Structure formats: structure tokens, C-alpha cells
Amino acid sequence: VKKVSIISVGNELLTGQTLDSNCAYISSRLLSVGLPVVAIFMTADEIDSIVKSLERAISDSDVVVMTGGLGPTDDDITRQALAQFLGVELELQTELLEQIKTFFAKRGTVMPQRCQTEAYIPAGARALPNKLGSAPGILAEYKGKKIVALPGVPAEMRQIFEDEVFTELQEYAKGQVTVVRKLKCFGAAEAQIAEKLGNLMERNRNPLINCTVSCGVITLTIIAQGGWQEQCEKMAEGDEKRLRGILGDLVYGSGDVSLAQVVGEKLTRQNKTLSVAESCTGGLVSKLITDVPGASRYFAQGWITYADNTKTNELGVPEELINKYGAVSEEVAQAMAKCARRKADTTFAIGISGIAGPNGGTEEKPVGLVFIALDSQAGCVQQRVFFPRGRDAIRLRAALTALNMLRMQLEV
Amino acid sequence: VKKVSIISVGNELLTGQTLDSNCAYISSRLLSVGLPVVAIFMTADEIDSIVKSLERAISDSDVVVMTGGLGPTDDDITRQALAQFLGVELELQTELLEQIKTFFAKRGTVMPQRCQTEAYIPAGARALPNKLGSAPGILAEYKGKKIVALPGVPAEMRQIFEDEVFTELQEYAKGQVTVVRKLKCFGAAEAQIAEKLGNLMERNRNPLINCTVSCGVITLTIIAQGGWQEQCEKMAEGDEKRLRGILGDLVYGSGDVSLAQVVGEKLTRQNKTLSVAESCTGGLVSKLITDVPGASRYFAQGWITYADNTKTNELGVPEELINKYGAVSEEVAQAMAKCARRKADTTFAIGISGIAGPNGGTEEKPVGLVFIALDSQAGCVQQRVFFPRGRDAIRLRAALTALNMLRMQLEV
């Protein structure tokens, strides 16, 4: 089985400034063609560190994919480190230099002098054209193994990876097959799901089932390995059915689908519409809904009624209700949902009011308490939830819970 | 100089399912006390891989911090791997088992049987109490070096790190000082900023200046190293002044501050208020604004007028304007801002209309085209921007540009 290691280069990764998303992208793409990533190394913008990582990575695997450090600034030295590791010089490719100059010319500017460095490639290696930026990628061979260097800017990395690298590595991987399926769940804790699955999660099992959790969304990954595609597909499919049978409507979808996408598909298919009135989530529910292309088919409008009086003035929530129960209450969340549905004339409306913190909590209504209401012709349902984990997590968890309530109503 | 390596354990990191945020947190906290992270390893939930990573990590550094793989499911085997690396057995700590049982009891449930495994600790190592979850962390000594294992759930990792690990490692690091300052910039490309900074970004310089970019936000990190705090502070301060002098109002703040925070501080200080009317960003601008605790001081309400008719019905944008110029136009964005400001009675109002794609673009108005208007008593300013990089990036970049326009108006 051919294996891959990834090296992410950049001081910003080691000082905690930047979260690397490139590794996840590359890993999931390569896994789909049966090239598992066995190790990821993050290393500083220093020649010695990069060379050491290359030595380790190449000892673990047949393919090394590097990202970062190909740009025009002085801290970009992946190019030099790769040449040193390969034991060759950097050579100016004049044709490449012209391409880089053209890249800037097309955008109406002159190539900054420092970008000339991007036209230097280790002798014997191949430059990989970059359509979105000036720095090309690099593909080198080393003792029958392959080393790919890509820019760190995600869009540029992806374009070069897809256009120049993916097919070549797919060819290289022939003969081994991995099929990966993901099931996304919402509405139970990780330990509860693990209890339900029992020995299906044993480590030596094939397919292997992994479980991860992020803000209430639980992802189960089924990884089937074998000699040919059909066999692996069948194994993975069998497990998917098994898991769906055990977990029922805790499973909201498969693959990389989000709750907002699933809700959007159901609304579209059922020809139903949605509006949203948000307080503590401050636009997050609407943002999640409109993350989905084509959301305009079912989402026409939303209100962010952050201040108490705007709940009354904009939506028409009775002032007495707010005075009597407080803005953060079952009653006001329900009134927000009902008013939004009436004003927007939609099938469903969500109303959310809560205390996202860090301030504003009381003993009776602590930070993390959120009321979520969902109104429809069938009536107004609501949930009182409590997420004791910080402003961002409270807001996201509340927004996802609202979407999940809607999903459950849309199940047919 | 004492050094740190981090090992993140989890198949989900290698299959591309999960972005690791723990490394960034640990790195930035440790750097602040002069403990630089020199390498990060991501490895599979397999004993052999974890042990190999421990060998590499310990050869690079004096402290190894591990995260992940301490939970109750079968894929959690960091505990076993650590014991094997240390050459000791896992021992059941009965007192710890009682604590774990109490953790569940307090939440009104019984400890799932599989959580018993969390009470096993390598012989000679110390359990680190977990207040937010059931799995404790582990602190072990190895040939005068320190190895820390923490849960992968970010909130639990942070709590144990702060309460049990940080001070101990700070003590251990004594005698070396690193001062880190970050400057955040918006409104220019990375290469333009690099041109302006010239040889200030040379690699052998102390302080070292690193540059990273994410969705238009450019972060310059100044890293000063030396023998004592005062000296480093002075060096870093000198560089910060130098950079601010060169970059002027491209710099919007320092540290981990966001554009929304800076705008929020300025609005609060100047006693001004803001409302938002969004179309293509679908709630994202309001979400960014309300990410900031205390946003209610200056943000009362927002409208998401996604469908054309809601721009007219809710905000009062003249229908003729939409018919004549189209919903995505300078004129409509301006009308949205003006109507929002009038309705909400705020000092400022933002109006945004654009084409986030992937569909809906035309030759005249392609995907990525966004009109952003900012209305105030002084008049309505607007920007026509074009971000050719995919729905998520278009929306985020447009939202940040709107906040930056407001920042520029608030500069005093």
C-alpha cells in the first residue's frame, strides 16, 4: 500500500497564528483514491527543519506533499530546502519567469522584483502552473518516490493540486482501494453513540469506524480497505446500513453535508419556506442557512432583533411579554417565531433568544441558556437548552440545534 | 533554550475530517512564556505511530504535549502508547475512578462502563483533573524531559492546560524570554506589504517578522528573543512603532483583535451606533459584529433581505430602483444602507448586495461582484469589489471589507 506524508511549512503554524486547512483537504482527496496519509509534520520556515521533516516524511511514505513557503517574502524558503534535500541547485526557468510576469500584467500591474525568486526550481524538478497566484508548485522525484511542493494559500494550493497533482498520484496509487463513507449525526453525545455502536468500533475491524465530535455534530467515518473497488463499496455500504439502523434519526446525512444543507434540500423538495428571527445568535442562523448555494429558494428574509425594543418595533412581539417574562424566555422566543412567520408568510419560522455571555447571566438565567422556538401551521414547538461552553460555542450550538429541530419536523 | 513539540493524535486529523485547533492554542500560550514550539506531529490512533512520534518529538525538544486519544472509545489509545514509550504498565488509580464516577453522578447519570479505562494512568505518571469531561490528562517525566497528554476536546484540553500545565511549564522555561507582538492589517495585498517592509523581513533578523494572510486580513508577527523581558519588550516595541509608521492606517489593531472588535471599540468610545442590511452575506456581517461580547452597546438590529421583494417590503428600497439597476447594484446597496439607517435610527448603516455564487453570475455582473455601501449623516460612501474565490471567501471578504470601510470612517 502506497502511503503519503504531508509537511506544512510556516512559522505561523508553530506560533499558533494560523490554523492549517490544507492538510485536511489534501488528506481527504488522497484517501478517496486509496492513498492514506500516515503522518503530518508542521515545521518552521527554516531550511534545517524543513530538510529534517523531509527525511522523516520520506522514511514513512512513498509520496510527500508539502504546502507553504513558496511565496515571495523572505520567510519563504521551501524551495531552497527542497533543493538541498534533493542535493541539487535551484535553476532559473526563464519561460516560467515570463509566465509570472504575464500573471501580473493581466492584472494591470508589474511583477514586484521579489517575485522573480518564484521562477527558480530545483534542477530536474517540474514547475506546476498556478492560475490564481504567482508562485508555481513543484513536483520532484526522489529514489522512485514523489515529492510535491504547493503554495500555502488554500485556493492556490487546491487549484494546483486538482489540475496538476491529483491524477498523477491517483495513477501512482493504482492497485489499492480505500472507500470512505461519513455519517453525520446530531442530537446525542459521543459516549451515547459509542455505547449504541458497541464493538463495531473495535480497532482491528475492517471497515474501521472512527468517531469525532465538533459542536454537537458527530461524524462517524467508515473506512473500508481491500483489493478492489466493488468489494470495498459493499463493505462500506453494509456498515452504513448497520449504523443507520442502530442510530435512526440521529443520522442527518452522509458525506460532508451540513445540517443547513440537509434542511435546505428538504425545504426545497417539500416546497416549504423559512424565515428567522434571531437575538443572541445575531445572524448566525441566517448565515448558516445562506452558506448553502440556492438558499434563496426557501429563505427570503431574516431579522436580527438584538435590542429588546426592536423585537417589539420590528417583529411586533408584545412589550408586555418582554416585561413579564424577560427577553430571554420561552414566551418571547415563541412570539419571535410566530411574528416572523406571520410577517414573512413562510411555512416555518425560527425564533431564538438566549444569553451568549460572557456577561448578562443571572442565577435563574445563566450564561449558556437559550430558548429556541419553531413555529409552523401545526403549532409552535420549543426547546430550552443549556450549553455551558463560551460565547462562540453557545451561539453555534444554539444555531445548529434550531436547524436540527427544523430537520426533525421535515422528516417524512 | 527549552523547546516544545506537539503531537496531535487522531485518525480524523489524517483523513481530513477535523481541523486541529488545539496546536494553535498550545503554541501561542507557550510562546508567550518563551517556550517555542519547534515541531508539530499529527499521527494516527495506532500505538506504533504514536510511539514513533514520541521518539521524534522527544529528540527535537524538552517538552512534548500530546492531545487526543484519551477518551472512552476503542480508538482512544494514547494512554497505552505513552505507557509503552515510557516502558511502564498502566495502573488503575482507584481514587481517580471515584472522581470519574462522581463526574457522571453530578450530571445525573451513571458512568458508562467503558469510561473505567480513563482511570488507568502509566505507572509513575500523574493524573491531571478534568473539570469539563471524564478523561483526565497525564503528566509524565522522561529522562529529565516532560511529557503531557491532554484530551482532544478543545474546552477540556484548555481547562486542564490552564489549570494544571501552564504554570509548571512556565517554571520549567525560566531563563529564556520571547516576546511576541502581532499587528493586524487590512486593505493591501501581502506582496505590497512585503515591498513596503523591505529588509525588515529578513530571516536572520531579531526580532523576526513573519507575515501571513487569511481572507484579506494580514497578520505581521514580531518575535523578539533575548536574555530578559525588558530587553525583548523594548525590541518588539521598537519594531511595532517602525511597522506602524510604514503601514499607517493599513494597521487596524494589535494582538488577536478582529476587525469587528476594533470597530466595536471605536463605536463604543465615540458613542455611535450601527445597523446592517444584508443580502448576499445573509447575516454574516451581523454575525461578525455580534461575535463581540457587549455588541448590544452599539448594535441594535439587522435585516437580512435576501429576496428582492423583502428589500422593498421590509426596508423600503424603491421597487423602481431594483427594476432599473438590478438588486446587485451600487444604487440598491446604497438604498439598503440609507433605509436601514433611517429605520433603525443609527449613526451608521451598512448595505451589502452582491453575487456570492456559484450560480447567478452574468458577464456584466459576474460571481464575486459585491457592492458595499456605508451610510451616515456625512453621506453614503460605497465600494464596488470583486473577489473571484468561491462563495465562502466572497461572503467573508465582503463582510470584512464592509467592517473595514466603517473602521476608516471611525478613525479620529
Side-chain angles (χ1 to χ4, degrees):
Chain A
V1 172
K2 296 266 188 354
K3 294 172 187 165
V4 184
S5 292
I6 301 177
I7 302 174
S8 270
V9 179
N11 290 345
E12 71 277 14
L13 302 167
L14 298 179
T15 55
Q17 276 180 265
T18 303
L19 289 190
D20 175 280
S21 62
N22 289 334
C23 290
Y25 181 84
I26 294 166
S27 306
S28 61
R29 289 293 284 142
L30 290 180
L31 193 57
S32 72
V33 291
L35 274 169
V37 170
V38 295
I40 295 174
F41 302 85
M42 300 201 178
T43 189
D45 294 304
E46 286 162 17
I47 293 191
D48 292 350
S49 306
I50 300 174
V51 170
K52 182 159 60 167
S53 295
L54 273 165
E55 286 162 358
R56 288 169 170 175
I58 209 87
S59 87
D60 287 355
S61 56
D62 310 280
V63 176
V64 178
V65 181
M66 312 174 74
T67 62
L70 291 179
T73 56
D74 288 340
D75 54 356
D76 293 312
I77 52 167
T78 295
R79 196 175 277 111
Q80 289 89 319
L82 179 56
Q84 182 174 321
F85 173 77
L86 296 168
V88 301
E89 296 294 314
L90 285 171
E91 290 179 348
L92 177 65
Q93 298 203 356
T94 49
E95 201 181 322
L96 191 55
L97 183 60
E98 287 314 309
Q99 286 166 15
I100 295 171
K101 286 182 176 166
T102 306
F103 174 84
F104 283 97
K106 275 190 181 165
R107 308 198 157 201
T109 56
V110 173
M111 181 188 84
Q113 196 49 39
R114 58 178 61 245
C115 286
Q116 179 152 352
T117 181
E118 296 171 348
Y120 284 81
I121 300 291
R126 175 150 66 89
L128 306 173
N130 182 343
K131 289 177 187 158
L132 301 175
S134 58
I138 301 169
L139 176 65
E141 306 267 336
Y142 179 81
K143 299 185 178 169
K145 298 183 172 188
K146 287 180 190 292
I147 303 176
V148 180
L150 301 172
V153 176
E156 300 177 24
M157 183 284 290
R158 289 176 191 206
Q159 178 262 310
I160 303 179
F161 181 86
E162 293 302 330
D163 291 356
E164 308 289 337
V165 178
F166 185 69
T167 311
E168 177 143 356
L169 294 184
Q170 193 172 14
E171 284 294 308
Y172 186 69
K174 261 181 189 166
Q176 55 183 328
V177 176
T178 306
V179 167
V180 178
R181 298 214 180 177
K182 290 191 221 172
L183 285 183
K184 309 281 255 180
C185 313
F186 197 94
E190 188 183 13
Q192 289 174 291
I193 288 192
E195 292 276 357
K196 281 177 195 275
L197 299 189
N199 58 15
L200 284 172
M201 283 191 65
E202 271 174 10
R203 290 299 84 196
N204 51 4
R205 193 174 175 277
N206 182 20
L208 185 66
I209 297 175
N210 288 326
C211 177
T212 55
V213 61
S214 174
C215 240
V217 175
I218 289 173
T219 306
L220 293 167
T221 311
I222 302 163
I223 303 171
Q225 297 194 288
W228 64 96
Q229 191 73 22
E230 215 176 37
Q231 173 200 26
C232 293
E233 294 281 6
K234 214 171 151 184
M235 286 159 64
E237 198 175 308
D239 263 14
E240 178 170 343
K241 277 193 188 141
R242 215 161 281 135
L243 295 184
R244 283 182 181 272
I246 295 168
L247 299 172
D249 62 13
L250 288 174
V251 178
Y252 72 78
S254 52
D256 285 317
V257 75
S258 68
L259 269 171
Q261 279 174 298
V262 170
V263 163
E265 281 160 20
K266 287 182 189 290
L267 288 169
T268 305
R269 209 174 324 116
Q270 299 177 28
N271 211 11
K272 291 175 177 166
T273 55
L274 172 66
S275 55
V276 176
E278 308 184 53
S279 187
C280 66
T281 46
L284 178 55
V285 176
S286 305
K287 185 264 179 194
L288 293 175
I289 291 166
T290 59
D291 276 341
V292 181
S296 56
R297 282 195 293 264
Y298 45 84
F299 180 77
Q301 68 185 125
W303 290 265
I304 299 144
T305 50
Y306 213 56
D308 288 359
N309 66 332
T310 66
K311 295 177 179 67
T312 302
N313 299 345
E314 282 302 318
L315 287 171
V317 173
E319 208 177 341
E320 312 84 68
L321 219 56
I322 298 175
N323 291 339
K324 187 166 177 193
Y325 300 103
V328 177
S329 62
E330 183 180 321
E331 289 79 6
V332 169
Q334 291 201 14
M336 287 169 69
K338 286 177 188 167
C339 292
R341 193 166 82 87
R342 195 167 47 227
K343 284 201 81 175
D345 192 21
T346 47
T347 325
F348 296 98
I350 290 168
I352 295 194
S353 187
I355 300 165
N359 303 313
T362 63
E363 197 161 322
E364 194 200 353
K365 293 183 180 176
V367 169
L369 179 69
V370 183
F371 293 93
I372 308 170
L374 174 64
D375 191 51
S376 70
Q377 211 178 352
C380 192
V381 295
Q382 68 100 29
Q383 272 194 40
R384 173 201 171 101
V385 289
F386 178 57
F387 307 119
R389 285 223 169 147
R391 187 172 176 91
D392 291 349
I394 291 164
R395 281 157 48 99
L396 183 52
R397 193 74 178 264
L400 292 173
T401 302
L403 293 176
N404 196 54
M405 284 169 68
L406 177 54
R407 172 179 74 94
M408 300 305 277
Q409 289 234 343
L410 288 164
E411 293 285 356
V412 278
Chain B
V1 173
K2 294 268 187 358
K3 295 172 186 165
V4 184
S5 292
I6 301 177
I7 301 174
S8 269
V9 179
N11 290 345
E12 72 278 14
L13 302 167
L14 299 178
T15 55
Q17 274 180 265
T18 302
L19 290 190
D20 175 280
S21 63
N22 288 335
C23 290
Y25 181 84
I26 294 167
S27 305
S28 61
R29 289 292 284 142
L30 290 180
L31 193 57
S32 71
V33 291
L35 274 170
V37 169
V38 295
I40 296 174
F41 302 85
M42 299 200 179
T43 189
D45 294 306
E46 286 162 18
I47 291 190
D48 292 349
S49 306
I50 299 173
V51 170
K52 182 159 60 168
S53 295
L54 273 164
E55 287 162 358
R56 288 169 169 173
I58 209 88
S59 86
D60 287 355
S61 55
D62 310 281
V63 176
V64 178
V65 180
M66 312 174 75
T67 62
L70 291 179
T73 56
D74 287 341
D75 54 355
D76 293 310
I77 52 167
T78 295
R79 192 175 281 110
Q80 289 89 321
L82 179 57
Q84 182 173 321
F85 172 78
L86 296 169
V88 301
E89 296 295 314
L90 286 171
E91 290 178 347
L92 176 64
Q93 300 202 353
T94 48
E95 201 181 325
L96 190 57
L97 183 60
E98 287 315 308
Q99 285 166 17
I100 295 171
K101 286 182 177 168
T102 305
F103 173 84
F104 283 96
K106 275 190 179 163
R107 308 197 157 203
T109 56
V110 172
M111 182 187 84
Q113 196 50 37
R114 59 178 60 245
C115 286
Q116 177 152 354
T117 181
E118 296 171 349
Y120 284 81
I121 300 292
R126 177 150 65 90
L128 307 172
N130 183 343
K131 290 178 188 157
L132 301 174
S134 59
I138 300 169
L139 175 65
E141 306 267 336
Y142 178 81
K143 298 184 180 171
K145 300 184 172 186
K146 287 181 189 291
I147 303 176
V148 180
L150 302 172
V153 176
E156 300 178 23
M157 183 283 290
R158 289 176 190 206
Q159 177 262 311
I160 302 179
F161 181 85
E162 294 302 331
D163 291 357
E164 308 289 338
V165 178
F166 185 69
T167 310
E168 176 141 359
L169 294 184
Q170 195 173 11
E171 283 294 307
Y172 187 68
K174 262 182 189 165
Q176 55 183 329
V177 177
T178 305
V179 167
V180 178
R181 298 214 180 178
K182 290 191 222 173
L183 286 183
K184 308 281 257 181
C185 313
F186 196 94
E190 187 183 13
Q192 289 174 290
I193 287 190
E195 292 277 356
K196 282 178 196 276
L197 299 189
N199 58 15
L200 283 173
M201 284 191 65
E202 272 173 9
R203 291 299 82 196
N204 50 5
R205 193 173 175 279
N206 182 19
L208 184 68
I209 296 176
N210 288 326
C211 176
T212 54
V213 59
S214 173
C215 241
V217 175
I218 289 173
T219 306
L220 294 167
T221 311
I222 302 163
I223 303 171
Q225 296 194 287
W228 64 97
Q229 190 74 20
E230 215 175 36
Q231 172 199 28
C232 293
E233 293 280 6
K234 214 171 151 183
M235 287 160 65
E237 197 174 308
D239 262 15
E240 177 169 343
K241 277 193 186 140
R242 214 162 281 135
L243 295 184
R244 283 181 180 273
I246 295 168
L247 298 172
D249 63 13
L250 287 175
V251 178
Y252 72 76
S254 53
D256 285 318
V257 75
S258 69
L259 270 170
Q261 279 174 299
V262 170
V263 163
E265 281 160 19
K266 287 182 188 292
L267 288 169
T268 305
R269 211 175 322 116
Q270 298 176 30
N271 211 10
K272 291 174 178 168
T273 55
L274 171 68
S275 56
V276 176
E278 309 184 53
S279 187
C280 67
T281 46
L284 178 55
V285 176
S286 306
K287 184 261 178 198
L288 292 176
I289 291 166
T290 58
D291 276 341
V292 182
S296 56
R297 283 195 293 262
Y298 45 85
F299 180 78
Q301 68 183 128
W303 289 265
I304 300 144
T305 50
Y306 213 57
D308 289 358
N309 67 333
T310 65
K311 295 177 179 67
T312 302
N313 298 345
E314 281 302 319
L315 286 171
V317 173
E319 207 176 342
E320 312 85 68
L321 218 56
I322 297 175
N323 292 337
K324 188 167 176 193
Y325 299 103
V328 177
S329 62
E330 184 180 320
E331 290 78 5
V332 169
Q334 291 201 14
M336 286 168 69
K338 286 177 189 168
C339 293
R341 193 166 81 88
R342 195 167 46 228
K343 285 200 80 176
D345 192 21
T346 48
T347 324
F348 297 98
I350 290 169
I352 295 194
S353 186
I355 300 164
N359 303 313
T362 63
E363 198 160 322
E364 194 200 352
K365 293 183 181 175
V367 169
L369 179 68
V370 183
F371 293 94
I372 308 169
L374 175 63
D375 192 52
S376 69
Q377 212 179 351
C380 191
V381 295
Q382 68 101 28
Q383 272 193 42
R384 174 201 171 101
V385 290
F386 179 57
F387 307 119
R389 286 224 168 144
R391 186 173 177 92
D392 291 350
I394 291 165
R395 281 157 48 99
L396 182 52
R397 193 74 178 264
L400 292 173
T401 301
L403 293 176
N404 196 53
M405 285 170 67
L406 178 54
R407 173 180 73 94
M408 299 306 276
Q409 289 234 345
L410 288 165
E411 293 286 356
V412 277

